[in-house]
Amino acid sequence: MTALPVLANPDGRGSAQGYQARHLLGLPGDVLVDEVETLALSRFAGARWDVAPAGTEPLVPPARTAGPGEPGVLRTSRHTSLTGPFAATGSGLPPGTELVFDVVCPRERGEAPWPGGSDRDGVGRAFPGGLPVREEERVVAWLVAAARRLGGSVRTDVGNPAGPGVVLTPDPGVTIDMCLYSDVWLEPNAALALVARQHPRTILATEGASYQGPPKGITEMPLYPGEKMDPELRRAIHAAADDVDIKALTTGSVLDGYGLLVDLGLDGLVAVEVGGEDQLPLLLRGLPWTAGGAVSYRIRWEPRDLIEAQQEQPSMEHRIARRRAGEVVGQITTALHRAVGGEIADESDFLVEPADL
């Protein structure tokens, strides 16, 4: 492998303009640079290489290819760029980091994090004076998601005189929810049978009680407080309303969504939500089978303690439950994919290979 250029000025003093922020994305050595481009295209429609690193195979034709010892420049918008990869020497990132991308974006800060609040990624801890908003918020969220997906870390606010910046190493186990996009619609009973083969404690969430008619005596009740209507007219209005309700309940309708629930006991629930979807991940838009939208099968975990789920350092009990629920989510997603095909995306809209579930 060709030696990587050294990151100049890793402490960031004077390396960005006053209206800009600088962050570092650190990755292990087994990550391919092409993977970074793919994740950028998954989140930013206009992502492209201004300068493609030598040896890469860009998905979008680059303006040019880097020369010997020259880093690449990946632009996610007119105002944000990732330059690299660089060697990790002096980057301040954790051991095991071998590739570093130098990220410059607009510095846009809003209100400080809520006192005593917590977030599972530690972004509030990294920006105590004001959370990123607008463009910088999108960039930081993508950096954290990319680091989680690729097993890396993010060093935030490099060069800020107020502090050396905070290193975030996102836990890959935090995000377990999946979404399967397909052009095949499974009827509720077929989906129930499929998922129940994996987990017998599965029910259709669309089950309900049959209509028993209007409450007795309602035709004699005033339509509103103080109403002095003729009793016969009141009964006629109530009867007309009942006719509308009965027609709605007896007329067939097209089912456009349903849900399944898997009871995991102390580990919470896994919900499978099925319906039509127009807002697809960027990499799936424009494909022949998604031209008119797609059917989405969202498989998500509902833990028993939602507050605990948002802690950066949750309890051991929560982590064990999350791991077990993640296995269930993976099993259900795999079974559905075998039945309907399509593409799988994680919570960050990054595509996932079925073999990696």
Side-chain angles (χ1 to χ4, degrees), residues 86-319:
F86 295 99
T89 306
S91 64
L93 288 159
T97 303
E98 296 188 26
L99 310 177
V100 176
F101 284 87
D102 193 358
V103 184
V104 174
C105 68
R107 177 183 295 274
E108 298 178 288
R109 305 290 163 85
E111 296 181 357
W114 188 261
S118 179
D119 64 273
R120 64 186 188 181
D121 296 323
V123 174
R125 176 170 59 85
F127 298 93
L131 292 169
V133 296
R134 296 184 290 274
E135 173 89 354
E136 190 178 15
E137 180 183 17
R138 292 188 290 270
V139 171
V140 170
W142 178 80
L143 289 173
V144 170
R148 176 182 292 111
R149 176 64 178 266
L150 300 175
S153 300
V154 179
R155 183 180 167 199
T156 62
D157 232 6
V158 177
N160 186 346
V166 172
V167 173
L168 302 176
T169 303
D171 181 358
V174 166
T175 55
I176 63 174
D177 296 353
M178 295 288 167
C179 187
L180 169 62
Y181 298 93
S182 173
D183 58 354
V184 177
W185 167 270
L186 273 182
E187 292 296 330
N189 287 331
L192 175 61
L194 184 68
V195 176
R197 283 202 293 269
Q198 305 289 324
H199 300 279
R201 298 171 69 180
T202 303
I203 63 170
L204 264 176
T206 51
E207 296 173 350
S210 60
Y211 178 60
Q212 303 298 321
K216 292 182 180 180
I218 192 171
T219 57
E220 305 299 329
M221 296 176 61
L223 299 178
Y224 53 86
E227 176 255 297
K228 302 296 184 181
M229 189 177 294
D230 177 75
E232 290 299 327
L233 177 59
R234 184 190 304 123
R235 282 192 286 270
I237 292 174
H238 277 296
D242 290 343
D243 290 341
V244 172
D245 292 340
I246 291 170
K247 182 178 180 180
L249 290 166
T250 57
T251 302
S253 59
V254 177
L255 182 69
D256 58 3
Y258 62 91
L260 306 172
L261 289 177
V262 182
D263 185 358
L264 303 182
L266 294 177
D267 293 342
L269 297 171
V270 168
V272 182
E273 300 169 348
V274 185
E277 184 63 63
D278 295 325
Q279 299 299 317
L280 302 174
L282 286 177
L283 292 182
L284 298 184
R285 298 177 189 177
L287 300 178
W289 63 274
T290 65
V295 180
S296 64
Y297 298 81
R298 297 188 181 277
I299 305 96
R300 58 183 180 83
W301 178 45
E302 296 183 3
R304 293 175 64 88
D305 190 335
L306 296 177
I307 296 177
E308 180 78 14
Q310 293 303 315
Q311 299 297 316
E312 189 177 1
Q313 298 293 334
S315 66
M316 179 61 70
E317 291 80 4
H318 177 84
R319 293 199 296 271

Side-chain angles (χ1 to χ4, degrees), residues 44-122:
F44 305 104
R48 68 186 188 282
W49 288 108
D50 282 353
V51 182
T56 58
E57 298 180 3
L59 296 173
V60 178
R64 67 180 180 88
T65 301
E70 181 185 8
V73 179
L74 176 63
R75 189 167 294 282
T76 61
S77 74
R78 188 161 56 96
H79 305 289
T80 300
S81 63
L82 287 77
T83 304
F86 295 99
T89 306
S91 64
L93 288 159
T97 303
E98 296 188 26
L99 310 177
V100 176
F101 284 87
D102 193 358
V103 184
V104 174
C105 68
R107 177 183 295 274
E108 298 178 288
R109 305 290 163 85
E111 296 181 357
W114 188 261
S118 179
D119 64 273
R120 64 186 188 181
D121 296 323

